Amino acid sequence: MTSEQDPDGMGIHEAGAKVDMGKDTFALSMGYFPNALAAINKESEFGAEKYSPFGWMKVKDGRQRYTEAMMRHLLKEFSGELTDDDSGMQHDVQSAWNALARLELRLKEETC
C-alpha cells in the first residue's frame, strides 16, 4: 500500500488525483533564483566546452580543489576585480558554481 496522497484528499484512483503531497517543489528554487541559475548554467556550459561535460565530477580531491577555486574567485571579487579574464564570467558566478560543485560532491559521498 502506498503512503502517497493527493493534497485535495482525492483517492489515488479517482480521476484528477495527483499524489504529490509532501514531495519536493523544485519550482520554488527556480522561482527564487532564475537569474542566478541562468548564470550558473552559462558557467556550466563554459566549463563543459573548456574541459568536458560532467568531467568536474571526476577531479581528484574535487571538494578541496573546488573550495580553493571558490575562495580564489571570492578574493578576486572582494579585491575589486569583477570579471574573470579567462571566461569573461563574473567572479561571483564562478564562486557560486564552485560552491555548488563542492556541495554536490559532498552530498554524493554521503549517499554512497
Side-chain angles (χ1 to χ4, degrees):
M1 188 73 182
T2 181
S3 64
E4 296 178 315
Q5 296 181 11
D6 178 271
D8 297 317
M10 296 176 75
I12 190 169
H13 298 292
E14 287 183 57
K18 176 74 172 108
V19 291
D20 55 2
M21 178 184 262
K23 292 186 178 178
D24 292 335
T25 54
F26 292 99
L28 289 175
S29 296
M30 300 291 282
Y32 290 165
F33 310 113
N35 297 311
L37 292 172
I40 293 291
N41 189 63
K42 285 186 190 295
E43 179 64 20
S44 295
E45 289 172 344
F46 174 81
E49 176 88 14
K50 182 176 179 178
Y51 300 105
S52 65
F54 299 98
W56 66 270
M57 298 175 99
K58 296 179 178 156
V59 169
K60 185 178 178 186
D61 300 321
R63 282 179 60 196
Q64 179 61 33
R65 292 170 75 185
Y66 293 120
T67 298
E68 293 295 336
M70 177 186 69
M71 293 175 12
R72 283 193 301 272
H73 286 292
L74 284 172
L75 180 61
K76 286 190 176 204
E77 179 189 4
F78 290 140
S79 297
E81 181 182 310
L82 300 181
T83 305
D84 181 64
D85 290 336
D86 181 37
S87 69
M89 297 293 293
Q90 292 85 8
H91 288 294
D92 58 353
V93 173
Q94 292 179 312
S95 297
W97 189 95
N98 283 287
L100 288 172
R102 61 190 294 276
L103 174 60
E104 183 65 26
L105 292 174
R106 181 185 62 79
L107 293 171
K108 220 172 165 175
E109 284 175 11
E110 289 176 1
T111 60
C112 291

